[in-house]
Amino acid sequence: MNFLERLLATLKSAAVKGSQVYVERQSFSVRHSRTLAGARSTLLSLLLAAVLVFVIELVVRQSFSETLAYFTDPARPAWTTVGAFFLILLAFDALFAREHKAAVLVAPFAVLPAFVSQQKQVFLSDPLYPTDFLFGRQIMELMPVLVKDRPWTAVAVVIGLLAAIVGIGLLLRYAWRNFPKLTRRERLARVVFAVPMLIAFWNVMDYTQFSWIRDRLRVVPIMWDQKENYRHNGFALAFMVNLPMANVSAPAGYMADAIDRIPVKPLPAGTTHRSKPDVIVLMSESFWDPTLLPKVKLTPDPMPTVRELQGGTVFSPEFGGMTANVEFEALTGFSNAFLPYGSIPYQQYIRNPIPSLATFFRGEGYAARAVHPFQGWFWNRTAVYKSFGFDTFRSEETLPPMQKRGMFASDESLTKEIIRQADAMEDPFFFFAVTLQGHGPYEPNRYAKNTIKVEGDLPEKDRQVLATYAQGIKEADDSLKMLMEWAKRRDRETIIVLFGDHLPPLHTVYTSTGYMKDVTAARKGTKREMLAGHETPLVVWSNKTGAQKDIGSISPAFLSYTILKQAGYEHPYYTGFLGKVRDHFRVVDRYMLVRKNGKDVADWQRQPKIPGLLRDYRFLQHDMMFGKRYSTERFFQSHAELFSTGS
């Protein structure tokens, strides 16, 4: 081979090697570029997750400084929440096969519940719970009332929702066309990384079990104080922690022997009356004494009948709504204090027959009838009343047409219907009626004429709200007087009980008058604050003996004791055991006990040891609602035949 040939061979060899080097460098460059692109995509997903969590908390807290404090406080799980949303975005990106498309879809479904929670706190003081979705139909049913009260707000919400739907649709379309596609390997990597970690994260969220990992992540389930739970953990994590609340675990120590050790006093069956009295219980919607508001004067007194006859107050566990929880206590003698915070027994737990005043009275040969001039599905009442042992439930579907006050049936019409039904009864009867007229919101012009004059330094809007509410109280008081005048003409003893289920949602009326610091009542606070935000009037009256005047302030759970004692009955649970509890405690609330002497005990459930009487109370309630019903023979024998068959 001559020099020229060797040179050409050398150049060819060099070209080949150069080509190989170029190819190798090009391959390295492509891999490096893809790695950088993947890192950028991951960092962008993390940034989107952080922005989303910040927006959620800003919506809920309505404060930039508080939201920033949530993120900067190392003791709170803001960045744990960001991590959870980061994993969710990665998993959904893999599902959609597009980078960051998940953010477009997840964001609205995360921010909307946060907005609903913020609004719920404005009206009812509580944040949004998972169980709230169980009565979404109720919310939709009440929507016309809310729209009528705030029409322009409703219009803005509708326009906003339509704009959001259109905007999300356009964004999804843009994302599908323009966001980078994920390769099969990239999708698999996201799934392998995100899904197992999400499953592990979900498993450590069970608040009933201690978790070292959850503790390190700064997630602290504060189930005894949901406001603090949502403040500390943030909306998303607190909502997640509350998901298992429908699963009620047995209290420590619950077993057959524990039930057998609860002392029961042998009590005579039947009544000491010569004849069985008829009993009518009226749970009056949002009935409260508006003359308690400072800085205003109402003329004339809107509730003279109740004021003359009132013998005590009911310490409602609720404020401004959640009527069914008050009703649950009044009818069963059980307490919401022993149930998960935020739960709604009517929606979640009443699936089988349990003892109640209805089963007691039916066991004594009474007709037991529930009456409510609204639709039967509301608060699941049709099913619940059947489980409680009522033999009849007359709802809007089966009641005759009634006069309305605004959108709601008037108390006068309901009272006339109760009288009509009572006059048709031959057997002794127990009626439980829930009124509707007093339901908020209290829009102007609900009444043709407001006869109660409101004087005082109030904004005009608050004056109109208070005038509407006070007129409703007057008509409720007039209706009670009508019912009593009818009862006075009867030969058979007739006992009438009236109480308010909770304070009305008067919103800024409370702050304008200085009655409360906020537009909703505190869930926990001093005794004075709690009584101001939760006490409603209670009347217990008989056409033979008059009004009972020495009742004091009691939880709704003690109404069954009060009613049966007034009627002359004895019962192992309702007058025996509950009477013993009432001898020591007049109010059993989730956060506060009030003893017979008026002394309050705050945060009693967080004490190392709770009073044995309340421990037994909780045992009996759990036994009959969720347990094996070991207590049936000793405490509820007269109910057994009725509730065991679901009659």
Side-chain angles (χ1 to χ4, degrees):
M1 183 179 295
N2 58 30
F3 174 77
L4 183 59
E5 289 175 336
R6 287 198 300 271
L7 181 60
L8 289 173
T10 301
L11 291 173
K12 183 177 181 181
S13 175
V16 170
K17 288 181 179 179
S19 177
Q20 289 176 344
V21 171
Y22 175 76
V23 170
E24 288 174 1
R25 287 180 177 175
Q26 184 182 46
S27 176
F28 173 78
S29 177
V30 169
R31 289 198 302 269
H32 182 64
S33 177
R34 286 179 177 173
T35 301
L36 288 176
R40 284 196 299 269
S41 176
T42 302
L43 287 174
L44 182 55
S45 292
L46 183 61
L47 177 62
L48 289 171
V51 171
L52 180 55
V53 174
F54 193 91
V55 170
I56 290 170
E57 293 303 318
L58 186 61
V59 168
V60 170
R61 298 172 191 268
Q62 295 288 291
S63 169
F64 185 86
S65 60
E66 288 185 15
T67 303
L68 190 62
Y70 172 66
F71 270 80
T72 56
D73 186 349
R76 291 199 270 179
W79 294 103
T80 299
T81 311
V82 171
F85 272 95
F86 171 61
L87 295 173
I88 291 170
L89 294 182
L90 290 184
F92 275 96
D93 280 345
L95 176 65
F96 299 140
R98 290 287 192 283
E99 291 184 9
H100 314 308
K101 186 177 180 182
V104 179
L105 195 62
V106 171
F109 287 99
V111 174
L112 181 60
F115 173 75
V116 174
S117 182
Q118 190 273 329
Q119 288 295 301
K120 185 188 174 192
Q121 289 185 83
V122 169
F123 288 94
L124 297 177
S125 79
D126 274 347
L128 185 71
Y129 302 119
T131 51
D132 290 334
F133 290 99
L134 294 173
F135 57 99
R137 185 181 173 190
Q138 273 113 282
I139 296 173
M140 296 307 298
E141 188 70 20
L142 289 175
M143 198 60 69
V145 180
L146 300 177
V147 170
K148 185 176 180 181
D149 181 54
R150 298 186 177 185
W152 291 112
T153 301
V155 170
V157 168
V158 170
I159 293 174
L161 285 174
L162 291 176
I165 292 170
V166 172
I168 293 168
L170 292 174
L171 280 174
L172 287 173
R173 182 183 177 189
Y174 178 84
W176 183 257
R177 292 181 173 182
N178 297 280
F179 285 14
K181 290 184 179 181
L182 294 172
T183 66
R184 183 177 297 179
R185 180 177 295 180
E186 289 170 329
R187 295 175 69 187
L188 181 61
R190 280 165 166 76
V191 170
V192 170
F193 175 71
V195 173
M197 293 190 70
L198 282 171
I199 293 173
F201 184 75
W202 171 259
N203 288 334
V204 302
M205 285 298 106
D206 183 2
Y207 67 84
T208 63
Q209 304 292 329
F210 173 76
S211 169
W212 182 88
I213 297 175
R214 186 180 66 224
D215 194 52
R216 300 287 78 76
L217 293 174
R218 301 294 186 260
V219 181
V220 183
I222 310 173
M223 308 311 291
W224 59 89
D225 185 348
Q226 287 291 352
K227 279 193 173 182
E228 180 61 19
N229 190 27
Y230 278 72
R231 189 200 70 83
H232 173 85
N233 294 308
F235 172 75
L237 286 187
F239 188 87
M240 182 185 297
V241 166
N242 277 314
L243 283 172
M245 74 163 57
N247 182 25
V248 181
S249 57
Y254 166 72
M255 59 182 70
D257 288 346
I259 297 295
D260 291 340
R261 286 194 295 269
I262 299 175
V264 56
K265 182 180 178 181
L267 293 170
T271 176
T272 58
H273 287 69
R274 290 192 297 270
S275 61
K276 297 180 176 182
D278 293 327
V279 178
I280 300 173
V281 178
L282 300 169
M283 187 170 74
S284 187
E285 173 63 45
S286 298
F287 191 93
W288 176 69
D289 183 358
T291 66
L292 294 175
L293 292 168
K295 302 179 183 178
V296 295
K297 182 180 180 182
L298 304 179
T299 311
D301 183 359
M303 43 179 280
T305 305
V306 170
R307 196 172 310 284
E308 178 186 355
L309 302 174
Q310 183 176 342
T313 56
V314 166
F315 184 94
S316 175
E318 302 295 344
F319 173 86
M322 307 297 286
T323 298
N325 283 355
V326 185
E327 192 175 324
F328 162 76
E329 289 201 16
L331 285 171
T332 64
F334 297 147
S335 175
N336 287 285
F338 303 128
L339 297 173
Y341 190 107
S343 60
I344 307 159
Y346 273 29
Q347 298 285 356
Q348 296 165 259
Y349 308 134
I350 311 300
R351 295 292 182 266
N352 298 299
I354 65 172
S356 72
L357 281 176
T359 53
F360 169 82
F361 279 112
R362 285 188 62 191
E364 293 294 325
Y366 279 62
R369 181 171 296 176
V371 186
H372 180 50
F374 204 62
Q375 297 178 27
W377 58 263
F378 202 80
W379 288 124
N380 199 31
R381 280 191 174 100
T382 297
V384 169
Y385 285 157
K386 183 177 180 181
S387 294
F388 280 175
F390 284 99
D391 48 26
T392 305
F393 172 34
R394 296 287 174 83
S395 62
E396 185 179 45
E397 295 89 340
T398 55
L399 287 169
M402 294 188 176
Q403 290 183 344
K404 299 291 182 71
R405 295 293 186 269
M407 297 188 64
F408 302 121
S410 72
D411 286 0
E412 179 183 3
S413 292
L414 179 61
T415 302
K416 289 179 178 178
E417 176 59 20
I418 290 171
I419 292 172
R420 187 191 68 80
Q421 292 189 32
D423 284 340
M425 303 294 293
E426 296 183 1
D427 295 327
F429 60 81
F430 165 62
F431 283 1
F432 181 79
V434 182
T435 73
L436 192 58
Q437 179 177 334
H439 204 293
Y442 306 104
E443 71 280 3
N445 305 317
R446 177 186 289 193
Y447 300 97
K449 182 180 180 182
N450 286 343
T451 60
I452 305 298
K453 184 179 180 181
V454 178
E455 297 177 287
D457 185 16
L458 274 180
E460 184 57 30
K461 182 179 179 181
D462 288 344
R463 185 187 304 278
Q464 291 178 351
V465 167
L466 183 55
T468 297
Y469 176 73
Q471 183 64 28
I473 290 297
K474 178 189 183 302
E475 296 197 8
D477 190 84
D478 290 343
S479 297
L480 174 63
K481 184 177 181 180
M482 178 199 306
L483 187 64
M484 291 170 54
E485 292 297 329
W486 163 81
K488 289 176 182 178
R489 298 191 293 268
R490 305 189 79 215
D491 292 331
R492 179 182 291 173
E493 181 176 6
T494 305
I495 295 170
I496 297 174
V497 178
L498 178 140
F499 67 98
D501 53 353
H502 51 69
L503 267 69
L506 296 177
H507 306 307
T508 51
V509 171
Y510 292 121
T511 52
S512 296
T513 59
Y515 184 76
M516 294 191 305
K517 292 183 292 186
D518 298 311
V519 296
T520 55
R523 291 292 181 180
K524 59 186 301 186
T526 66
K527 177 184 173 184
R528 181 177 181 181
E529 289 172 335
M530 295 290 280
L531 295 180
H534 294 275
E535 278 191 321
T536 65
L538 170 63
V539 171
V540 179
W541 176 87
S542 165
N543 64 346
K544 301 299 183 183
T545 60
Q548 187 176 343
K549 302 292 286 187
D550 58 349
I551 303 170
S553 181
I554 60 172
S555 287
F558 296 127
L559 282 169
S560 53
Y561 165 85
T562 305
I563 292 166
L564 293 189
K565 292 296 286 187
Q566 177 67 29
Y569 284 103
E570 299 287 351
H571 184 269
Y573 178 77
Y574 288 114
T575 61
F577 180 80
L578 276 188
K580 190 175 180 181
V581 176
R582 186 180 176 277
D583 285 343
H584 292 79
F585 306 101
R586 296 304 175 91
V587 171
V588 179
D589 181 67
R590 191 178 307 278
Y591 292 121
M592 186 180 72
L593 298 174
V594 178
R595 297 184 182 275
K596 184 179 181 180
N597 61 7
K599 183 178 179 181
D600 61 293
V601 182
D603 287 330
W604 61 277
Q605 295 202 66
R606 300 187 63 189
Q607 303 301 318
K609 186 176 181 181
I610 67 172
L613 197 58
L614 297 182
R615 177 204 60 207
D616 292 344
Y617 189 7
R618 185 177 184 184
F619 281 166
L620 286 172
Q621 176 171 325
H622 183 87
D623 185 54
M624 297 309 296
M625 289 186 67
F626 310 105
K628 301 294 185 180
R629 292 187 168 175
Y630 302 124
S631 52
T632 299
E633 184 176 347
R634 298 175 68 231
F635 288 93
F636 298 99
Q637 188 173 15
S638 61
H639 305 244
E641 182 179 350
L642 286 171
F643 67 67
S644 64
T645 60
S647 300

